[in-house]
Structures are given as C-alpha cells and as structure tokens.
Amino acid sequence: MTDTLGQPVPAVPSVPSALDRITPRRTRVGLVAGGLGAYWPQFPDLLPQLQASARRVAERLSGMDCEVVDAGFVSDAAEGAAAAEKLRVADCDLIIGFLTTYLTSSMLVPIAQRSGSPVLLLNLQPTEAMDHASFDTGAWLAYCGACPLPEMANAFRRVGVEFRSVSGYLEDERAWVKIARWITAAGVRAAFRHGRHGLLGHLYPGMMDVATDPTLVSAQLGGHVEILEVDDLRVRVEQVTDAETAARMALAREVFTVDDSVVEEDFAWGAKVSVALDRLVGDFGLDSLAYYHRGLDGETHERVGAGFILGASLLTARGVPTVGEYELRASLAMLLMDRLGAGGSFTELQALNFRDNVVEMGHDGPAHLAISARKPLLRGLGVYHGKRGWGVSVEFDVQHGPVTLCGLGQLRDGTFVLVASEGEVVPGPLLQIGNTTSRVDFGCDPGEWTDAWSATGVNHHWALGTGHRVAELKAVADLLGLGLTVVSG
C-alpha cells in the first residue's frame, strides 16, 4: 500500500489485544478563515463561496485525530480580534489560518500573537486551476489566497511570530498529507507541553551522556519532571495481592511466549512489580518514566529495581515509555515516536556486521511490544549484564521494513537537538540473550554510518520506530524550536 505521495506505507503498529492503550490528550486545533470584507458588496457571490470552502476545510480537519475549535469567518480586523480572544481562551496546540482570498495581515497577526500557539497558514484554492475564459474578477478572487501569503510572512516575522504554510487546492491530497503532518507534530508538542515525566532512583554510575537537568526539560519542551524514590514503588509492590499478581501473570502469558528459562518465582515477582508500576504511573499521572537503582546483595530495593522489565514493557506498549538506566532523554524520544504512531523502542548499538552490511542494535530490558515482528519472548536471565539483579527479560526483533531512529541529544550549552536516521530492518540471525535486537540496513557501510551517527553528539540510547519518519520529525523539530540532524546512508 502507498500513501498519496506514492510512498510505501509501513504496517501500523498495534498494541497486543490484551492491553488497553492509555488514551493521550487530543490535539486541539484552532481554525479561523477570512477574507477582505470590502469585497462582499462588490461581488455578492464571493462570500458564500468562500464560506463553503471554509466549511470544507473544517470538515476535513474534523475527520483527523484532533479537536477543532472553529472561530468562524472574519472579514475585518475587529472580527479578527474577537477570533483571537476565542482561540486564546481555547488554549490550542496549533492555530490554522485559512486564507480564502486576499485579507490584510492586521486581521491574522493578533490571533497569532495572543494565542502563543504555533501557526499554520493554508492557501487552498477551490480547484487545481481557474477557468480563464469564463472567470470574472469575483470568480478570480476565490483563487486569490496566495496573494496575502507573502504579506503574512513578512508581518509575522517582523512581530516575532513563527509560522508555516501549505499551498494547494481544497481536494489536493498532497496538501492534506502536509496538513496532517503539522497536526501530528502539534500533538507531539502538546504531549511534551502537558507531559509529566518520572525519574525514579538515580543515575547509572559513570554514564555522563545520559545525565539531564530536569529543569532544561521544562524550559525547552514544557511539562514537568517528577523526581521519585525507589520506596515510592516499593511500598506499592508490598500492597499488591496474590490475586493481582496471578492476573498479571495470566496477562503476560497472553502477550508473551514464556520461555522455559523463566523461573516461576522471578515471573511472579516481575508481575507483582508490574501491577505496582501501573499504580505508580496512575498516582503520579506520568506520561513517561525513566528508572535505575543499583542495590546490593539481593536486598529489597535491588529486587524492585531488577523487577521492572515486564511491567515497563507493558506500560511502553500502552503509550507510557518506561526505560532503564535513568535515561530521561531517551524516554522522551520514545514518547515522541509513540505519539507519531511509530512505536519507539529503547535502543543502543550492539555490533556491526560488515559481511551483511547491517548495524545490529537493540537493548536489554523494556521494549515497545507493539512493534515486535512476532509474539515477543519472555526469557529468564540469571544475571542482567552490567546491572545488579536477575529475573525475566523481553526478547524480540522489530517489525521488518522501514524504520527511523530518533534521539534527543544535548549540546554543550544545554540545548536539546533531535537526531534521526532512516533505515530498514532486515531478516537474519539474532542473539538469543533476552534483548531486543534488530539488523538495520542504512544503505551504506555500517562503520561509516556508525561514525556519522556518533559524531552528532546523540547519547548512546535512542528510540527505534517503524516507518520512515524524517518528514514528520522535521515538523516536530520546527514546532518545538529544536535543531534536527539527519544522518543518511
């Protein structure tokens, strides 16, 4: 299957049937259409035609995964000011201004200024082209939305408001693909702006690249970082009943293939921690969670820290990325990819295969079950490599086909930057050690790709999601005000 641009469409990730996905906040889109009121008495048929076009745009937007706040059709600056107040109060994630014909910048600039939301201008004329032989001035004006676009661009830049535009015609599917991309990006921005991100435990000792100042997250992306202690989870683990543990084990058996290496006692402990994790996420209203605790000699806190993997994977599949090694920025990159519909699994480099020209990557611990190539495996491990503890781990290969890597890097001055690369997961031999592992072909020498990827300054963990998503990530980076570095083959 291909999209309207003729590009292959990857399979849409689906959460295992036994899991209920957490419903995120719907993206709120403000819509205002307008034209110059001086035209209406001069050309009586013009306004009804433009209003019909505005209704069509509202209809198309309402068919997308968003809530539309329609401020109506404005004909002068006074009506524009009234629309500005309505959209300001609505707290929209994206403002769409539909230029149906010529209108003055004084009609739309206040809307952009007062809302504080990103702005997308639409220039969608009625059809592909005018009928030059039959059109008079009134008919031409319905095709004149392009005329004010440079004026808007100049005025917006001079008042310090960023904007984007899409030009086409009403039923131009290429234009609507771009519009949908901006709405999706606005949803990602909203997920960060309204998000609550948990940090439980402490930094993995020695990993200087993963250390993140929580205040920088709020400053650059919005939202709140909640600092949690292991005891916040330990107490909830102690409150889980045997019946709840048994029910969670039954759920896990439906979601996973349980390998013979799984020790029943470890399985039950992971299920118990999973129930407690759900309560922790609910009690603190978390949209993501990053954790790590070292512990010592099998004491309770070490066992809690080692019992995360089952519950963290189930939460990630439900739309709450939950990752180890205190990797806050990786959990945010995973949240971004999840909200794009790409899944997004916790990933790092594992090895290079110069014979097959692939990069092998993945991670031990939690993974995004919704993008597994097959029913994921739950494997028992006597030791978690590089970490204290033992128990059950998740193993699978990401769906074969196009994929995108997305990392949230941090520069020397503290600025966040998105880093991305598109490739393809291909079949081949994989390790069977309780890790997610994928063989990714980037269309070039794996060593050269690895050097280029590392040179971006991305931290050593990132999100791996399905589909080629760089076009969407460009829109996300634009709305978030972040730089985007793309590593290509």
Side-chain angles (χ1 to χ4, degrees):
M1 184 171 64
T2 60
D3 62 18
T4 55
L5 295 176
Q7 299 298 315
V9 176
V12 177
S14 59
V15 176
S17 60
L19 301 177
D20 292 325
R21 183 171 171 83
I22 293 174
T23 304
R25 173 186 176 277
R26 292 192 77 198
T27 307
R28 189 171 302 152
V29 175
L31 172 64
V32 60
L36 186 63
Y39 295 150
W40 314 152
Q42 296 175 326
F43 309 100
D45 295 333
L46 179 58
L47 179 58
Q49 180 181 1
L50 302 182
Q51 290 173 327
S53 293
R55 287 192 297 271
R56 179 56 179 155
V57 168
E59 180 183 14
R60 289 293 301 256
L61 293 175
S62 297
M64 298 179 179
D65 186 19
C66 63
E67 172 190 347
V68 179
V69 180
D70 193 343
F73 197 101
V74 300
S75 299
D76 55 36
E79 292 179 359
E85 182 60 16
K86 179 177 180 178
L87 296 180
R88 182 192 67 79
V89 172
D91 189 27
C92 298
D93 303 310
L94 180 70
I95 300 293
I96 292 180
F98 178 24
L99 313 179
T100 66
T101 185
Y102 176 77
L103 68 165
T104 64
S105 49
S106 63
M107 296 165 62
L108 288 190
V109 164
I111 295 173
Q113 286 180 308
R114 296 181 196 179
S115 71
S117 303
V119 178
L120 173 64
L121 299 180
L122 301 186
N123 160 39
L124 301 178
Q125 63 190 38
T127 64
E128 294 174 274
M130 295 185 292
D131 182 354
H132 298 80
S134 65
F135 272 29
D136 59 12
T137 301
W140 155 61
L141 286 171
Y143 285 72
C144 199
C147 179
L149 188 55
E151 176 181 336
M152 299 297 169
N154 179 279
F156 276 38
R157 292 194 185 283
R158 290 171 67 184
V159 301
V161 173
E162 293 296 326
F163 79 99
R164 304 96 201 136
S165 65
V166 174
S167 292
Y169 56 96
L170 276 178
E171 305 304 332
D172 182 355
E173 294 306 320
R174 292 174 298 177
W176 283 104
V177 166
K178 296 176 183 178
I179 294 166
R181 190 175 293 150
W182 286 114
I183 291 175
T184 300
V188 173
R189 177 180 178 271
F192 287 134
R193 183 167 168 249
H194 298 276
R196 290 177 55 82
H197 313 293
L199 268 180
L200 187 151
H202 60 83
L203 282 167
Y204 187 108
M207 289 185 179
M208 297 173 65
D209 64 319
V210 306
T212 303
D213 180 349
T215 302
L216 291 182
V217 173
S218 298
Q220 297 183 48
L221 303 176
H224 169 73
V225 178
E226 183 74 18
I227 307 299
L228 303 167
E229 300 177 359
V230 176
D231 287 325
D232 288 317
L233 182 59
R234 175 190 60 80
V235 170
R236 289 170 172 81
V237 171
E238 293 169 351
Q239 295 170 345
V240 176
T241 67
D242 291 342
E244 290 170 327
T245 300
R248 186 53 54 95
M249 292 174 74
L251 170 64
R253 287 191 177 95
E254 182 178 345
V255 175
F256 296 91
T257 295
V258 180
D259 189 73
D260 292 340
S261 61
V262 172
V263 176
E264 190 74 4
E265 180 183 355
D266 294 343
F267 188 11
W269 178 252
K272 194 179 187 75
V273 174
S274 174
V275 174
L277 274 170
D278 284 0
R279 290 183 179 154
L280 181 80
V281 165
D283 291 345
F284 286 93
L286 301 180
D287 297 288
S288 70
L289 175 64
Y291 68 89
Y292 177 76
H293 181 76
R294 180 168 51 193
L296 185 67
D297 294 338
E299 49 83 30
T300 300
H301 293 93
E302 179 188 287
R303 291 296 289 135
V304 169
F308 267 80
I309 294 174
L310 172 59
S313 295
L314 294 175
L315 276 171
T316 300
R318 295 175 60 204
V320 182
T322 304
V323 305
E325 299 181 11
Y326 215 62
E327 244 295 19
L328 173 58
R329 296 201 311 282
S331 69
L332 296 177
M334 290 168 62
L335 180 64
L336 188 164
M337 294 297 278
D338 180 88
R339 296 305 188 262
L340 290 181
S345 205
F346 194 38
T347 306
E348 66 183 2
L349 293 172
Q350 292 177 329
L352 307 182
N353 187 325
F354 292 95
R355 181 179 58 227
D356 298 337
N357 274 342
V358 296
V359 179
E360 298 183 37
M361 60 179 65
H363 207 282
D364 64 319
H368 202 307
L369 307 180
I371 61 172
S372 176
R374 60 190 61 83
K375 193 171 185 179
L377 181 74
L378 200 63
R379 184 182 293 279
L381 297 181
V383 62
Y384 292 150
H385 76 269
K387 309 174 186 69
R388 295 195 59 83
W390 66 94
V392 295
S393 190
V394 173
E395 178 179 300
F396 69 74
D397 181 21
V398 169
Q399 294 171 9
H400 297 179
V403 292
T404 300
L405 277 56
C406 176
L408 185 63
Q410 186 172 8
L411 305 181
R412 184 176 182 180
D413 64 0
T415 301
F416 295 146
V417 60
L418 290 176
V419 182
S421 187
E422 294 178 338
E424 182 175 357
V425 171
V426 296
L430 302 172
L431 292 173
Q432 298 179 8
I433 57 173
N435 284 20
T436 59
T437 305
S438 295
R439 295 159 48 91
V440 186
D441 182 353
F442 292 101
C444 65
D445 179 87
E448 293 180 0
W449 180 89
T450 300
D451 289 339
W453 178 255
S454 302
T456 65
V458 68
N459 44 315
H460 80 279
H461 300 117
W462 50 85
L464 173 63
T466 55
H468 283 168
R469 307 284 179 168
V470 164
E472 293 163 278
L473 290 174
K474 287 179 179 178
V476 170
D478 183 288
L479 295 192
L480 291 175
L482 300 180
L484 171 64
T485 300
V486 178
V487 176
S488 56

